[in-house]
Amino acid sequence: MFKVSYLGRPQPAERPRARFSNQGHYYIYNPPKYAEYKQKLIEFFNGFAEDPELVNLFDKKKIPYGLSVKIVFRFSVKNPNDNPFYTLRPDIDNLFKGIIDSLFQSKVNQVLDGIETDKNGNPIHDEFGNDIPHFKQRIDDSRVVHTEMLKLKATEESPEGFTLIVRNLGLEAIS
């Protein structure tokens, strides 16, 4: 089992969208606020790339069935009441997606697999002439077979942010 907490307001995932010009050209627009948040999360999870508990969870030979992921989100509220749950936007599935995308795109799950090539096998270079590294994933996010998510109001003891718990689901978990 791996458990970690992150401080800071959770952000929902925003999908990149195509933008079109009058000349028929298009580009992919990735909302900068979400891209920045996702990069912060990737760097946060990169800090656990050597954690033995987390490394074992991303070893496909040690995961017979899949992963269980529990995320508890905490949000600050202006007018607290007795309800412990945070019932306002953003949607919980988009919050979950942002964290899982970041975890699976971090060094915890990415393995260097050579350099990027075009369809003819020629290396692709960045604007400075450097080779662009190619990564592959140890496992993909389809290995997440169980989820549990809560949106709670932040408290003094539990400030705004999220807690992530990842477990290996073995046979005993489904019996």
Side-chain angles (χ1 to χ4, degrees), residues 7-129:
L7 297 178
R9 189 167 184 85
Q11 301 290 319
E14 294 185 48
R15 294 290 132 222
R17 297 179 294 277
R19 299 282 195 224
F20 299 93
S21 71
N22 291 337
Q23 293 81 24
H25 301 289
Y26 74 94
Y27 66 96
I28 302 299
Y29 172 77
N30 194 11
K33 184 178 175 184
Y34 175 63
E36 181 181 322
Y37 172 71
K38 186 174 171 185
Q39 190 57 45
K40 283 181 186 176
L41 284 182
I42 289 172
E43 290 170 14
F44 174 72
F45 290 125
N46 282 346
F48 299 98
E50 302 298 322
D51 184 297
E53 294 283 334
L54 196 54
V55 169
N56 284 336
L57 291 169
F58 283 85
D59 183 347
K60 67 175 95 180
K61 294 177 184 170
K62 295 181 180 178
I63 305 172
Y65 299 104
L67 299 175
S68 170
V69 176
K70 177 178 180 177
I71 305 177
V72 178
F73 301 98
R74 289 189 172 75
F75 290 91
S76 296
V77 293
K78 292 179 183 172
N79 301 317
N81 58 27
D82 293 337
N83 183 359
F85 296 101
Y86 183 83
T87 57
L88 304 173
R89 290 193 178 270
D91 295 341
I92 200 165
D93 59 326
N94 293 332
L95 291 166
F96 177 83
K97 184 71 172 152
I99 293 169
I100 293 302
D101 283 352
S102 300
L103 176 62
F104 277 78
Q105 291 174 13
S106 70
K107 290 179 183 177
V108 171
N109 191 40
Q110 298 289 319
V111 179
L112 184 61
D113 187 40
I115 59 171
E116 292 286 344
T117 58
D118 63 16
K119 62 183 175 183
N120 297 322
N122 300 317
I124 300 174
H125 306 290
D126 64 14
E127 64 271 16
F128 304 110

